[in-house]
Amino acid sequence: MQTILDATSADQVVIVADHLRKNFPGPVVALDDCSLQVRRGEVMVVIGPSGSGKSTLLRCLNGLETVDSGRIVIDTVPLDDQETHRLAIRRRVGMVFQSFNLFPHLTVEGNINLAQRLVRGRSRTAALATTVSLLDKVGLADALHRYPDELSGGQQQRVAIARALAMHPKVMLFDEATSALDPEMIGEVLDVMRTLAAEGMTMVVVTHEMGFAREVGDRVVFMEQGRIVEQAATDDFFQRPAKERTRAFLGLVV
Amino acid sequence: MSTSRRVSIIRDLVLYVLTCIGLVWLVLRGAEQLGYQWHWRQVAHHLIVMGDGSLTAGPLIRGLLVTMEITLVSLVLAGGIGLTVALLRLSSSRLGRCAARVYLESIRNTPLLVQIFFFYFVVAPLFDIGRTTTAILALSLFEGAYVSEIIRAGIISIGRGQWEACYSLGLSRTQSYRAVILPQALRRILPPLTSQAVSLIKDSALVSTIAVYDVTMAGRTIVADTFLVFEVWFVVAALYLTLTLSLSALASRLERRFPRVA
């Protein structure tokens, strides 16, 4: 499955994950020899049944969880024990969570400004300018002074996306970003993600939205029981799945 | 206002007044049984001394000021100690966790009075520190242990998602604590922290045992001189009540002004 890259394409690879293994206490293997590469501007969609390790894989990519063995390199920075590398990677990788995780004690402005000021050291005015333009982009220009609990789920998730984007990440990770939303709000969040993909953002998207995967994904990874069963270009994956398990899964969900 | 609501308020008021009357009656009866003579007028000049046409603070008021000074300084120190110990207990350093645990358990499991004596008779001569400083030291170390547990509980109560959001934005652990975790935790722990501060005010009465001239000590001295037992202790109790109630009022005002937490 793993492609051998020549020198020119190597610098286009933003995410390298090599033979990742992780065990949780108990009989279930969290990650079993997972390898993947994501190129600049690519949208990789990770699908699979619940408990298949999709989220764990994603969370390992920015060091929220540690792997037992294997190698992760993000934008030429290796993710290892060094705190500086860990921080450097987190500054390059934005993450959007299923449960939004906005800071409830801060306004939308405070939420988006915070890391810009603390991590990027931007001035208040510079941070605010970025915040305002990003809110405009996710369609929430009027929410600047609202608190998270005054917003709907879909609005909160769009603020969370803006908050991640404010750090100018090289990669965006989406961990089931629409799974906690009411059906009528899924669309507005997927629209924002679609726009990002069109602008060339490198994205890894864990999702149950097959329509979105088909439409936006460049490549699809199918996982089951901690293993990557199949990964392929989107058209191939949906029209000519190679593995029996993939066909069975697609038969169930599509 | 509906009629039933008005009726219930009147009923509560009546009950309240009846309870107060009952309590006063009990006290008066008790005093009567003892053959106690009330001399309320003599208490006044222990509060305020009138002489040469000017008013100066009497021993009780001076004692109250000492109590306020000791509790205020101890409150600030206990807060600092509590935060440090809580962060140590949650840190990744084994030594830090261990030290914090030893401190907590040894303070929490011995009587405050013994600790005050220990500081007064053992530590104070060793480092040549004064009585008031000794009192402040003992009190803040004692209350700090309880405060640390309150703060730790507050920090733990903040969901993992908040930490993950901080980390994924590139915030360091210190930055996450300062900007995200502690502000939310503080809002949640304000009620138990207030109780602890009230406890501190009351516990400070024990420093009179090492001859710090606080309001309790002033009361003891006056009682010894004048035998106005009931009057003086009631006044002392009222002075403590004034302190603790003002503190509680301040805390609830603060609580309302605080930023929200989910």
Side-chain angles (χ1 to χ4, degrees):
Chain A
M1 192 57 56
Q2 189 165 343
T3 42
I4 295 154
L5 298 146
D6 55 52
T8 41
S9 60
D11 59 19
Q12 291 299 312
V13 175
V14 190
I15 300 177
V16 180
D18 251 356
H19 303 293
L20 305 185
R21 277 178 196 282
K22 181 177 180 61
N23 285 294
F24 282 142
V28 188
V29 180
L31 291 179
D32 188 1
D33 198 21
C34 294
S35 299
L36 55 82
Q37 296 189 330
V38 184
R39 290 156 192 266
R40 200 172 300 284
E42 196 172 44
V43 176
M44 177 175 272
V45 178
V46 184
I47 61 171
S50 347
S52 58
K54 315 179 291 282
S55 287
T56 308
L57 175 66
L58 198 72
R59 292 157 58 83
C60 284
L61 293 180
N62 71 343
L64 281 184
E65 308 225 20
T66 51
V67 290
D68 295 336
S69 68
R71 188 176 66 109
I72 295 172
V73 181
I74 310 280
D75 199 30
T76 71
V77 183
L79 182 59
D80 49 29
D81 291 341
Q82 281 190 46
E83 188 62 18
T84 46
H85 286 165
R86 197 170 285 275
L87 281 176
I89 283 177
R90 285 179 176 157
R91 282 161 201 197
R92 281 158 214 245
V93 179
M95 185 155 191
V96 177
F97 301 88
Q98 181 178 349
S99 51
F100 328 135
N101 293 347
L102 291 179
F103 305 133
H105 62 303
L106 299 175
T107 59
V108 167
E109 177 187 354
N111 265 277
I112 308 180
N113 278 5
L114 183 73
Q116 296 187 63
R117 304 201 56 199
L118 290 181
V119 179
R120 293 273 183 237
R122 288 182 197 144
S123 71
R124 199 192 156 87
T125 26
L128 186 59
T130 311
T131 300
V132 168
S133 77
L134 282 171
L135 278 179
D136 198 39
K137 181 187 177 122
V138 299
L140 287 169
D142 52 350
L144 193 63
H145 300 299
R146 309 275 287 280
Y147 280 90
D149 64 2
E150 298 166 353
L151 302 174
S152 72
Q155 291 171 325
Q156 288 190 52
Q157 193 61 297
R158 285 185 281 153
V159 171
I161 294 174
R163 180 174 72 174
L165 288 176
M167 303 302 289
H168 296 317
K170 298 276 170 54
V171 179
M172 285 285 282
L173 308 177
F174 292 86
D175 189 5
E176 303 200 18
T178 56
S179 298
L181 296 175
D182 292 335
E184 71 270 22
M185 292 170 185
I186 293 176
E188 62 192 57
V189 172
L190 290 182
D191 281 344
V192 171
M193 292 166 67
R194 210 171 271 130
T195 313
L196 276 182
E199 287 170 0
M201 175 63 79
T202 310
M203 294 161 61
V204 181
V205 182
V206 169
T207 188
H208 293 292
E209 299 289 328
M210 290 304 149
F212 179 81
R214 235 179 229 267
E215 178 200 333
V216 182
D218 295 310
R219 277 199 303 142
V220 180
V221 171
F222 173 57
M223 287 186 73
E224 192 172 55
Q225 293 177 345
R227 284 169 175 278
I228 293 180
V229 176
E230 179 163 0
Q231 57 178 311
T234 305
D235 287 347
D236 291 339
F237 182 88
F238 283 104
Q239 277 151 33
R240 293 172 289 280
K243 298 280 167 44
E244 181 53 39
R245 271 305 304 149
T246 317
R247 280 195 288 273
F249 179 73
L250 289 177
L252 283 175
V253 296
V254 178
Chain B
M1 205 191 308
S2 70
T3 327
S4 68
R5 197 162 144 64
R6 203 173 303 154
V7 167
S8 91
I9 287 179
I10 291 171
R11 195 189 54 206
D12 287 349
L13 266 177
V14 169
L15 279 175
Y16 178 75
V17 170
L18 282 179
T19 314
C20 288
I21 291 175
L23 281 174
V24 171
W25 180 79
L26 268 178
V27 170
L28 291 178
R29 271 290 288 180
E32 200 182 299
Q33 295 273 311
L34 284 168
Y36 194 83
Q37 301 286 313
W38 293 95
H39 296 288
W40 279 107
R41 311 182 86 198
Q42 290 181 31
V43 179
H45 72 266
H46 294 293
L47 283 166
I48 292 162
V49 181
M50 255 181 294
D52 314 334
S54 68
L55 294 177
T56 47
L60 281 176
I61 295 297
R62 272 181 280 139
L64 184 69
L65 291 177
V66 173
T67 294
M68 282 170 76
E69 182 201 336
I70 289 176
T71 44
L72 208 67
V73 178
S74 304
L75 209 61
V76 174
L77 287 179
I81 293 171
L83 181 60
T84 312
V85 173
L87 293 180
L88 273 179
R89 282 206 63 187
L90 295 168
S91 76
S92 50
S93 144
R94 189 179 288 268
L95 184 71
R97 285 202 309 263
C98 192
R101 197 66 200 264
V102 168
Y103 159 75
L104 176 74
E105 296 301 349
S106 52
I107 294 285
R108 202 165 50 166
N109 296 305
T110 54
L112 173 58
L113 189 61
V114 175
Q115 290 169 28
I116 291 177
F117 284 156
F118 175 78
F119 275 98
Y120 184 58
F121 291 114
V122 180
V123 179
L126 223 58
F127 297 96
D128 194 29
I129 41 183
R131 277 204 295 265
T132 310
T133 316
T134 310
I136 289 171
L137 205 65
L139 272 179
S140 21
L141 280 171
F142 179 78
E143 305 294 336
Y146 292 89
V147 171
S148 82
E149 282 296 86
I150 294 173
I151 295 180
R152 192 171 68 96
I155 292 172
I156 293 173
S157 78
I158 305 298
R160 206 176 55 151
Q162 293 289 306
W163 279 108
E164 291 183 348
C166 290
Y167 284 158
S168 70
L169 287 167
L171 268 65
S172 69
R173 199 174 159 80
T174 316
Q175 287 172 330
S176 312
Y177 263 129
R178 220 176 22 216
V180 175
I181 306 298
L182 287 178
Q184 292 182 59
L186 194 62
R187 172 68 179 78
R188 288 188 190 177
I189 64 178
L190 209 54
L193 270 188
T194 310
S195 311
Q196 200 57 47
V198 167
S199 285
L200 172 64
I201 292 178
K202 293 180 298 171
D203 290 344
S204 78
L206 281 176
V207 304
S208 64
T209 55
I210 57 171
V212 171
Y213 217 86
D214 72 334
V215 67
T216 302
M217 187 64 182
R220 279 212 287 182
T221 316
I222 298 167
V223 168
D225 287 346
T226 61
F227 300 107
L228 295 169
V229 183
F230 278 70
E231 294 88 337
V232 169
W233 286 127
F234 274 127
V235 170
V236 168
L239 291 175
Y240 276 111
L241 202 63
T242 317
L243 279 191
T244 49
L245 286 181
S246 342
L247 185 75
S248 303
L250 195 75
S252 63
R253 272 189 66 172
L254 209 64
E255 212 170 308
R256 258 175 284 137
R257 283 190 40 187
F258 246 88
R260 64 195 71 200
V261 178

